[in-house]
Amino acid sequence: MSQILFRNLSLLDPKWDEPRGGYEVLVEGETIREVSAKPIKSRGARVVDCGKRTLMPGLIDSHVHVFLTEVNIGHLEAIPLTLMTAKASQLMKGMIDRGFTTVRDTGGADWGIKTAVDSGLIAGPRLFISAKAIGPTGGHSDPRRRTDYQQASCGCCNGMVYVMAVANGADEVRACVREQMRQGADQIKIMCSGGVASPYDPLDSLQFSEAEIAAATDEAKNFGRYVLAHAYTPEAITRAMNNGVRTIEHGNLIDEKSAKLIKSKGGYMIANLVTYFSMKERAAQFGMTAEMLAKNDIVLEGALRSLEICKKAGVKVGYGTDLLGALQVDQSLEFIHRAKVLKPIEIIRQATTVGAEIVRMEGKLGTIAPGAYADLIVVDGNPVKNLKLFLDQGAHLSAIMKGGKFHKNALK
Ligand code: ZN
Ligand code: ZN
């Protein structure tokens, strides 16, 4: 099997507080074979001289939507699946260009796009997919306009219908969860509160009954999957956690009590500050409505505080972005927003080791260790000192490797 030897580098293992010099990393096939503080002997390995740059695990974004290709997602109703796929392939190339070698898609991406990436047809990060996001009638994932009385369109010619599902009552929820898992979902996404990008549901509405949430988590568990819940308010977070949900998405309005509950259940929160800042600045120009932007202001206000509350309660927080369409270019700005309240190494851990735990690939992703997938980036400097090295669409990354294959290599 072909081998690649990285030398003359500083290794950033997210367990450490700082990169350490003198290490070498040997990749064999799609995994890391050896990591050593001494020179590694390997006859026949292709040698890559990193010129003292920092080698670290590829980044993990635990909340993206590769199929939400429009900033006003309502516009997806006029986008057929073919065009959505073409747009998604560009968005995913942007993600891996920025050093994100794994993303968890929290609603929309299907087994088709995942297979296209896995088989090398499309350049992009590893995808952990949820298939359709599931919510109740009138909730955050009800794709209809008020003038629609029935499920009018087919998902092949209406992107909005393709990425979202509606289910009511525990039995229907159970069937819908089973359907997503039949379609290859790695995890199940449900809506437990109102949302920003949906026009009709109040932010503090509680979506799904406790029996419906419990049906979803029971069914996911039976199939070896888990449930993530879109939830902003303490009430929504509490209902989700008490009924078996594993990860809370957004969580902007979290309070100390609901944070303690997540901690006691061993759950995770996936914050995503950048989307609220970017929407406030630029979403109107892409057709986001005044109602949506008013809801955005409410959650934006809680975003930084939510990180402080989670830190104090000991809740593990994943790196998420949740950016829509053209705003996805801001994906790495999440580092900069979090740095207002967290240390750079804490944010790097959120985007590596914590992300790996979230997708249940601890030791295989988010780390540079023997047996892990060779998903790595080579940074032109020390990101612990300067998070801006992650900005500019990957310009400061000299190499990006996923599964032992270079996506980019500007090194000799
Ligand atoms: Zn959401
Ligand atoms: Zn989302």
Side-chain angles (χ1 to χ4, degrees), residues 115-137:
T115 305
V117 173
D118 287 347
S119 56
L121 286 169
I122 291 177
R126 289 176 196 282
L127 278 171
F128 288 82
I129 60 166
S130 309
K132 292 176 196 260
I134 310 168
T137 289

Side-chain angles (χ1 to χ4, degrees), residues 200-257:
Y200 314 127
D201 55 333
L203 209 51
D204 58 359
S205 59
L206 293 171
Q207 302 190 2
F208 275 148
S209 67
E210 296 202 55
E212 288 168 320
I213 300 170
T217 58
D218 181 55
E219 209 50 53
K221 187 175 85 213
N222 292 345
F223 205 77
R225 303 289 184 264
Y226 70 91
V227 172
L228 52 140
H230 160 105
Y232 282 110
T233 58
E235 295 76 19
I237 293 168
T238 301
R239 280 160 56 112
M241 291 314 295
N242 280 336
N243 287 285
V245 165
R246 180 167 174 260
T247 73
I248 296 294
E249 310 301 307
H250 321 305
N252 299 42
L253 307 176
I254 194 169
D255 61 5
E256 279 174 31
K257 201 168 158 214

Side-chain angles (χ1 to χ4, degrees), residues 384-398:
V384 175
K385 293 250 150 58
N386 182 12
L387 287 172
K388 289 188 177 159
L389 291 165
F390 293 131
L391 302 186
D392 306 318
Q393 309 304 318
H396 315 294
L397 306 179
S398 283

Side-chain angles (χ1 to χ4, degrees), residues 178-199:
R178 286 176 178 161
E179 180 61 24
Q180 306 319 309
M181 296 187 301
R182 183 183 80 83
Q183 296 281 338
D186 297 300
Q187 66 273 327
I188 294 296
K189 165 78 171 289
I190 62 170
M191 304 306 186
C192 287
S193 80
V196 171
S198 45

Side-chain angles (χ1 to χ4, degrees), residues 20-21 44 71 83 88 91 125 153 194 204 208 215 245 272 283 289 295 317 333-334 352:
R20 297 181 186 173
V71 176
L83 180 56
L91 294 174
S153 303
D204 58 359
F208 275 148
V245 165
N272 51 276
T289 66
K295 293 203 274 190
V317 176
L333 275 177
E334 180 76 16
T352 53

Side-chain angles (χ1 to χ4, degrees), residues 63-65 68 106-107 140 189 191 230 249-250 272 321-324:
H63 192 124
V64 306
H65 298 279
L68 300 190
T106 50
H140 185 43
K189 165 78 171 289
M191 304 306 186
H230 160 105
E249 310 301 307
H250 321 305
N272 51 276
T321 53
D322 200 24
L323 287 157
L324 304 172

